[in-house]
């Protein structure tokens, strides 16, 4: 894999995260080609990662064994048109939200398509990406997709493409939910007499520690929660208030709204 040409269509944050991880793991810069119309982004990637860059697709794109689609969904059709003649023989890996695999097949002429839904912690190697592969993708190509995304964090395969809408709602949008709760804890900290910075430190450390504990434990989150919740205690008071306010039901409803919107975006841009 290390000697094959890997092409990125789009050189934004997610592409840069993947490229940075690959370079850190020893992949040669000259084996990576990035096509991006933005001169500043091309200059940055060349300077920081030592990769090859182009402002527009040309015949050199045909050398790529894998093409990674990393443009905004609304720009996909325009970006794909000049690439189509050169990418038919490559494995197509998409990190675009909303663009369905049928649309990628039509645009590239290749049935070998893997769709991925990463999230922003990928930028520090702590993300998780949902993956879906069409039937034409073989086991070796699945492994290649996993290896390319490994520098960004963990991967999780789903059997149905529509499941990526749920992945989008859960983990794709998920970091925003965590930040939302951290904001609320910071606000509460100030209202209870602490500073915003103290609230931030306490909230972030609590999320990080609780997540690490849940990952290290064989017990379900429900049991871990119950162990912290003594009846009549402070945690019990807080959780009783949350339940009375319908927070869990509202949160589940919110995730379903995100899933619905992901489906709508697929209908709008990716069909």
């Amino acid at each position: 894999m290390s000697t094959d040409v890997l092409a990125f269509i789009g050189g934004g944050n997610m592409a840069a995260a993947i490229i940075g991880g690959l370079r850190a793991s020893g992949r040669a810069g000259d084996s990576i080609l990035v096509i991006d119309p933005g001169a500043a982004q091309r200059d940055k990637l060349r300077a920081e990662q030592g990769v090859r860059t182009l402002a527009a697709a040309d015949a050199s794109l045909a050398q790529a064994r894998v093409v990674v689609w990393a443009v905004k969904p609304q720009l996909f059709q325009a970006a794909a048109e000049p690439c189509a003649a050169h990418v038919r023989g490559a494995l197509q890996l998409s990190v675009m939200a909303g663009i369905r695999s049928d649309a990628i097949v039509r645009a590239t002429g290749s049935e070998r398509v893997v769709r991925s839904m990463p999230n922003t912690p990928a930028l520090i190697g702590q993300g998780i990406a949902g993956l879906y592969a069409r039937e034409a993708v073989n086991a070796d190509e699945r492994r290649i997709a996993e290896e390319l995304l490994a520098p960004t964090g963990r991967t999780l395969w789903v059997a149905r493409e529509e499941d990526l809408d749920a992945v989008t709602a859960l983990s794709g949008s998920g970091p925003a939910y965590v930040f939302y709760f951290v904001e609320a804890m910071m606000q509460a900290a100030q209202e209870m007499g602490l500073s915003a910075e103290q609230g931030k430190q306490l909230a972030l450390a609590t999320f990080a520690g609780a997540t690490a504990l849940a990952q290290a434990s064989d017990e379900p989150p429900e049991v871990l929660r119950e162990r912290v919740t003594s009846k009549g205690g402070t945690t019990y008071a807080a959780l009783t208030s949350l339940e009375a306010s319908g927070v869990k039901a509202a949160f589940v409803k919110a995730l379903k709204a995100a899933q619905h919107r992901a489906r709508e975006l697929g209908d709008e841009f990716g069909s």
Side-chain angles (χ1 to χ4, degrees):
M1 180 76 190
S2 60
T3 59
D4 297 315
V5 174
L6 170 63
F8 286 80
I9 314 300
N13 287 339
M14 195 56 64
I18 298 171
I19 292 168
L22 292 170
R23 293 286 287 123
S25 65
R27 187 179 182 110
D30 61 5
S31 73
I32 299 173
L33 173 66
V34 181
I35 298 173
D36 194 296
Q41 190 64 19
R42 295 197 308 274
D43 291 345
K44 182 179 180 181
L45 287 168
R46 278 199 305 271
E48 294 182 358
Q49 304 296 346
V51 300
R52 295 185 289 143
T53 65
L54 290 172
D58 64 18
S60 63
L61 185 57
Q63 301 171 358
R65 180 182 177 187
V66 182
V67 175
V68 181
W69 294 93
V71 297
K72 294 179 180 178
Q74 59 268 36
L75 301 178
F76 170 65
Q77 293 298 335
E81 188 172 345
C83 300
H86 311 298
V87 299
R88 183 180 299 270
L91 172 66
Q92 315 293 319
L93 172 61
S94 169
V95 295
M96 302 177 293
I99 302 298
R100 294 175 182 152
S101 65
D102 284 345
I104 298 172
V105 170
R106 288 194 299 270
T108 65
S110 173
E111 281 282 349
R112 294 156 51 229
V113 176
V114 175
R115 277 190 64 195
S116 169
M117 184 62 232
N119 60 7
T120 55
L123 300 174
I124 59 167
Q126 295 294 318
I128 185 165
L131 291 170
Y132 164 78
R134 290 178 69 92
E135 288 185 8
V137 178
N138 62 36
D140 284 342
E141 291 168 332
R142 281 174 171 254
R143 177 185 53 79
I144 288 169
E146 290 176 344
E147 289 177 353
L148 286 175
L149 292 170
T152 69
R154 300 169 62 185
T155 56
L156 174 72
W157 287 97
V158 296
R160 304 178 305 165
E161 185 166 8
E162 56 264 36
D163 288 340
L164 287 179
D165 293 335
V167 172
T168 300
L170 286 162
S171 59
S173 299
Y177 313 149
V178 175
F179 302 146
Y180 184 80
F181 279 101
V182 170
E183 288 179 63
M185 292 173 77
M186 289 172 64
Q187 179 180 330
Q190 290 178 280
E191 292 180 6
M192 292 186 292
L194 298 176
S195 70
E197 180 57 31
Q198 287 173 319
K200 179 181 178 181
Q201 289 187 37
L202 290 166
L204 292 178
T206 300
F207 268 98
T211 300
L213 178 60
Q215 288 180 329
S217 177
D218 292 330
E219 295 176 317
E222 179 183 5
V223 172
L224 297 176
R225 172 179 56 77
E226 289 172 349
R227 285 189 176 161
V228 188
T229 312
S230 301
K231 191 165 185 178
T234 58
T235 308
Y236 180 82
L239 293 178
T240 299
S241 177
L242 289 172
E243 284 297 303
S245 298
V247 171
K248 181 183 286 187
F251 190 50
V252 171
K253 182 179 179 181
L255 267 67
K256 289 180 179 178
Q259 179 193 30
H260 179 71
R261 182 56 182 153
R263 191 176 300 121
E264 286 182 335
L265 289 171
D267 292 340
E268 183 176 356
F269 296 116
S271 297

